[in-house]
């Protein structure tokens, strides 16, 4: 089972940027879907973006603003977040699923807890 540690959150004004990092240990990134998820107070966890060897996924509300990438040499997945909005405020988590079955696609949009177990996450607060 992979271990994932998130970092990079903080307080930023609307329109600002942050880059989140997810350091992965226990195996290489190949063969896994690594996803970023978020949970705001009182709301359910939702998928933000996901990356596999050959595919990237985004929820509609972040398309054109967020970019997911991976550095195989560092076993790290990044989430570059630009043009941040107050509604992006949440705790952000990264999670993983084996990619070979293709179930990661459905789970990302419909059953995000399948990417757990979850770490502590990193808080992103967008406020003036």
């Amino acid at each position: 089972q992979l271990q994932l540690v998130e970092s990079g959150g903080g307080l930023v004004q609307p329109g600002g940027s942050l880059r989140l990092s997810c350091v992965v240990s226990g195996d290489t990134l190949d063969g896994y879907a690594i996803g970023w998820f978020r949970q705001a107070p009182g709301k359910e966890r939702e998928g933000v973006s996901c990356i596999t060897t050959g595919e990237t996924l985004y929820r509609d509300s972040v398309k054109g603003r967020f970019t997911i990438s991976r550095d195989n040499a560092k076993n790290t997945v990044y989430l570059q977040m630009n043009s941040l909005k107050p509604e992006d405020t949440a705790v952000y988590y990264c999670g993983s699923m084996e990619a070979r079955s293709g179930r990661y696609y459905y789970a990302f949009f419909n059953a995000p807890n399948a990417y757990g177990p979850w770490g502590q996450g990193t808080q992103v607060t967008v406020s003036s």
Side-chain angles (χ1 to χ4, degrees):
Q1 189 173 15
L2 300 183
Q3 293 81 48
L4 301 92
V5 178
E6 310 93 342
S7 65
L11 172 64
V12 63
Q13 292 186 342
S17 298
L18 284 173
R19 189 177 80 157
L20 305 184
S21 299
C22 174
V23 178
V24 180
S25 59
D27 204 344
T28 65
L29 297 179
D30 291 342
Y32 291 92
I34 307 296
W36 282 100
F37 302 83
R38 66 188 180 188
Q39 188 166 20
K43 295 188 177 181
E44 294 186 351
R45 198 186 313 265
E46 62 184 18
V48 177
S49 185
C50 181
I51 189 167
T52 66
T53 301
E55 185 175 28
T56 57
L57 305 174
Y58 296 94
R59 71 179 301 106
D60 286 346
S61 63
V62 308
K63 285 180 181 178
R65 299 189 298 123
F66 291 10
T67 303
I68 194 169
S69 62
R70 53 191 259 176
D71 185 332
N72 290 337
K74 295 183 178 180
N75 240 35
T76 300
V77 174
Y78 302 99
L79 185 68
Q80 178 67 44
M81 305 187 296
N82 299 329
S83 302
L84 282 160
K85 303 177 181 180
E87 51 263 42
D88 296 316
T89 295
V91 179
Y92 283 68
Y93 303 86
C94 56
S96 66
M97 280 189 73
E98 289 189 0
R100 59 186 176 182
S101 71
R103 288 198 295 265
Y104 70 88
Y105 187 98
Y106 175 86
F108 173 77
F109 289 107
N110 300 288
N113 284 335
Y115 279 76
W118 305 105
Q120 291 187 327
T122 186
Q123 175 71 47
V124 172
T125 302
V126 185
S127 175
S128 55

